[in-house]
Amino acid sequence: MTSGLHDQDLPRGLPGMISNSSAVAAAVAVAAEHGVRAREPVVLNDSFNLRIHLRPAPIVARVPTVTALGRPRPADVLRRELEVVSYLCGLGAPVVPPSDLLPAGPHLRDGVVVSFWTHVEHDPDYAVTPEQAGRALAGLHQALHGFPGRLPYLWPVLEEPLRLLDLLDGQVEADVLERLREAHAGLAERVEGGAVQAVHGDAHPGNLLATSSGLLWNDFEETMAAPAGWDLACLLRTTRLDGQAAVRAYGADPGDPGVRAFLAARGLQGTLWMLVRALRFPSEADTARAALEAWLRDPSGATR
């Protein structure tokens, strides 16, 4: 069996893909309509989403780019994120808040969806310890337990991969694509059931920002109704720290059989997103191929 992206087939752009210039222009225009002048907008991060600091204002605009490929209604995703984070802010939970200098959104301008967040000074080189990550996640789950809103059940696990698999048709070997589809179908059956609550959805330590006020959770785009084991699988899969130690600090057993299905689902989800990301960033094809090869060797999600 061969695998990997066909290098010659990798497009330099995708139909409907939002350019950085269009995203920045839309964010600046919406901000201006609400009295905020961004004289020096700066792209902070361009990966799955585009994050733009609307300098000199302490505002970060977030625009779905790669993520919009797998989400036909990105505005709905941003709306759920804002609802959950606003709830957490009301509790005084340690999260990066939406901006209070203008309506946080989501806004739609010239086909671009954008939300606005408070710019928080943080140390990107700070190494979160396993103990900090585990305790932070336990506190977050306690706060999220009372969220009164409706959230879709395991949507990034059950629904989103189907769209990603369709995008990869013709971009990966046919036999590999079939194996990915079969794995998703099997996991969809395994992850059903169990106690459900609102969870972060992407609870790895890269979404914990080290600030002068302590560690703040960020990026709730994948928030959903799910067993807490999903977020524990996110910790176990990270390469930023000892995931098993972090899960123990959370107060759970990293060897719990109930987490295994989520670990495998997280491994598949991450692999699919890496492959789709390479459609926008052809320079990432080798990294995406390596992720795919790792998954093919061990689809359990236990290794990376």
Side-chain angles (χ1 to χ4, degrees):
M1 177 184 292
T2 57
S3 64
L5 295 169
H6 298 311
D7 292 337
Q8 68 273 21
D9 293 336
L10 285 171
R12 294 294 168 181
L14 290 169
M17 174 61 70
I18 298 166
S19 69
N20 285 12
S21 59
S22 296
V24 172
V28 169
V30 173
E33 289 174 355
H34 295 279
V36 176
R37 293 189 60 193
R39 293 189 293 272
E40 302 174 72
V42 175
V43 172
L44 300 177
N45 183 267
D46 181 12
S47 183
F48 292 95
N49 296 300
L50 195 69
R51 288 179 171 83
I52 310 152
H53 183 190
L54 301 182
R55 296 193 311 184
I59 299 171
V60 173
R62 183 184 301 165
V63 176
T65 51
V66 173
T67 57
L69 296 174
R71 298 168 184 170
R73 296 179 297 279
D76 290 350
V77 175
L78 297 188
R79 186 175 294 108
R80 286 196 296 267
E81 178 183 29
L82 287 164
E83 289 173 356
V84 170
V85 175
S86 295
Y87 168 79
L88 291 169
C89 285
L91 296 179
V95 295
V96 175
S99 177
D100 59 1
L101 298 180
L102 75 174
H107 303 267
L108 178 63
R109 178 66 177 255
D110 298 329
V112 177
V113 180
V114 59
S115 59
F116 295 106
W117 300 84
T118 300
H119 180 263
V120 176
E121 295 290 345
H122 66 282
D123 180 1
D125 297 321
Y126 182 87
V128 177
T129 68
E131 291 73 21
Q132 288 174 320
R135 290 196 299 267
L137 184 57
L140 179 66
H141 280 177
Q142 183 176 7
L144 283 169
H145 190 72
F147 177 68
R150 292 175 60 88
L151 295 171
Y153 176 66
L154 280 171
W155 67 272
V157 185
L158 301 177
E159 301 173 24
E160 201 171 77
L162 294 173
R163 186 173 176 87
L164 302 183
L165 286 162
D166 287 344
L167 286 170
L168 293 170
D169 192 356
Q171 300 296 334
V172 298
E173 310 282 350
D175 55 347
V176 173
L177 185 64
E178 181 60 25
R179 184 169 170 183
L180 291 166
R181 289 189 186 277
E182 291 175 355
H184 174 259
L187 287 172
E189 297 177 359
R190 289 175 57 195
V191 298
E192 296 280 0
V196 170
Q197 70 157 88
V199 300
H200 183 285
D202 194 19
H204 61 79
N207 281 329
L208 272 174
L209 304 186
T211 75
S212 59
S213 301
L215 295 176
L216 302 183
W217 283 104
N218 187 38
D219 194 357
F220 284 76
E221 276 188 80
E222 295 181 60
T223 190
M224 58 180 159
W230 172 260
D231 277 355
L232 296 180
C234 294
L235 273 185
L236 285 171
R237 280 277 300 170
T238 186
T239 59
R240 296 171 181 263
L241 48 71
D242 183 340
Q244 293 196 9
V247 170
R248 285 192 291 268
Y250 173 93
D253 177 6
D256 184 346
V259 179
R260 290 178 186 166
F262 294 113
L263 197 61
R266 177 67 172 179
L268 176 62
Q269 179 202 43
T271 300
L272 294 177
W273 273 117
M274 291 292 288
L275 293 169
V276 169
R277 183 174 180 270
L279 300 181
R280 183 177 188 233
F281 300 105
S283 62
E284 296 295 318
D286 288 345
T287 300
R289 184 180 295 109
L292 177 58
E293 295 289 356
W295 182 86
L296 290 168
R297 289 192 300 271
D298 181 16
S300 73
T303 59
R304 290 192 65 179

